Amino acid sequence: FFPKAAAVAVGAGAMLRAGSSVAAQPGSMKYRVLGQTGISLSEIGFGSHLDPANLADPAARTKQIQRGLELGINLFDIYDHSYHQFAPMSTMLAPVRDRVVISLVSVWPENKTMAEIEHALTVFGTDTVDLYRIYAGGDDEASLERTEARLSDMQRAKDQGKIRAVGVSAHDQRAFIRLLQSHPEVDYIMFPFNFRHRALKLTDAEVPDAGRNASDPAPDPGIRDCTSVPCPAPGFAAAVRDAGVGLIAMKPFAGGGLLRLAADDPRLQPLHEAGVRLPQAALQFILQTPEIASTIPAMNSVSEVEQNVSAVFGGPLSDPQGQFLDILNEAADGTHGEYLPDSYRWLEDWRS
């Protein structure tokens, strides 16, 4: 169920059941179980994207990872094809392998998926990769055949105990719908979700508006602000709900596009003075959806790690935070998608 802004705090604990919540101790990381996998994830995980400075400075990256571990982050999404991070991340995480969740994506040719899995097991010095996913791209016959081949081998590796959970990521809602309906064995999906791109609503449940007393008249159900509560996308949401898969939110800042919006809007000044910060508000918005186990922002400095993790302790989205996100949404509307990097323009298809 999707709470209104500033209405319900989402708490979590290490033994949290999927879809439920318990209060964590102040200052401690919170965890949620990924769907029906039994795998507990920190609400904030490390995204896989790195900036050039981080790639060139392994010592700085090590400090970021160490700080994340100190703050309770246990989910690490790791790319090798774009950032060549298997080797350095395997070294950094080796001392804490039994406490972290390694998340990988298959990129080798579909006829080499099993070899790719074996390679990952060798590099990370482990018997099992926690989360391994495919990327489902294209709906032509050749693309569909590649997807089927990869999924088949992933499931075989899972049956052999080499993968704990098999997942799917995609840029197209239709790909998710097709795969979730045809492959009930999929354990989780990694999908775009943020305060602007939120094509997901799992139930029709509502809670009162922020600041509205229970005795006040209920709001018109036909009016939705689409910031406090995600707007519906029935086909995708129904497929997710029916499949019961775990959910990991990617692109929380839309490839950085959301971080560059409306910097000079005078309406933001009093909100800044009230302590509202975009990364924290954006991540708190995502975490108000209890079915989402974790979100994985890119983090390229120790301060970014600390600021992003602070969203876990922020509680319900406040009225000023909601106003802040409204202003940014309005600014994004005015750019006709140009606020996004070219390679992320597809995200606008996830508006609801």
Side-chain angles (χ1 to χ4, degrees), residues 138-154:
D139 56 6
D140 58 281
E141 184 175 353
S143 295
L144 294 175
E145 288 177 354
R146 285 193 292 270
T147 296
E148 290 294 325
R150 286 194 175 101
L151 268 182
S152 177
D153 281 346
M154 287 278 180

Side-chain angles (χ1 to χ4, degrees), residues 163-207:
I163 296 174
R164 295 178 66 191
V166 174
V168 173
S169 63
H171 293 174
D172 187 339
Q173 294 176 45
R174 295 170 300 176
F176 280 122
I177 293 170
R178 180 178 63 248
L179 284 169
L180 291 177
Q181 291 176 344
S182 62
H183 288 276
E185 71 275 13
V186 169
D187 296 303
Y188 70 96
I189 65 170
M190 188 176 288
F191 73 111
F193 189 82
N194 57 58
F195 68 87
R196 180 166 176 81
H197 308 109
R198 49 188 176 272
L200 178 69
K201 182 175 183 293
L202 295 180
T203 76
D204 294 326
E206 297 282 356
V207 298

Side-chain angles (χ1 to χ4, degrees), residues 54-134:
N54 247 346
L55 285 172
D57 192 348
R61 186 59 172 172
T62 299
K63 291 179 181 178
Q64 296 154 24
I65 300 300
Q66 290 174 338
R67 185 58 178 145
L69 290 168
E70 291 169 358
L71 292 171
I73 291 177
N74 76 345
L75 174 59
F76 294 86
D77 192 50
I78 304 167
Y79 274 10
D80 204 44
H81 58 293
S82 299
Y83 300 101
H84 307 294
Q85 287 297 291
F86 272 22
M89 288 297 290
S90 67
T91 300
M92 283 185 270
L93 296 179
V96 293
R97 176 66 188 96
D98 60 337
R99 292 167 27 212
V100 299
V101 176
I102 292 175
S103 169
L104 308 178
V105 59
S106 175
V107 296
W108 287 18
E110 69 277 7
N111 62 343
K112 296 184 177 180
T113 300
M114 293 300 291
E116 180 181 24
I117 294 167
E118 293 293 341
H119 170 71
L121 294 173
T122 299
V123 172
F124 283 94
T126 186
D127 295 326
T128 306
V129 173
D130 303 294
L131 308 180
Y132 222 135
R133 69 187 184 276
I134 69 162

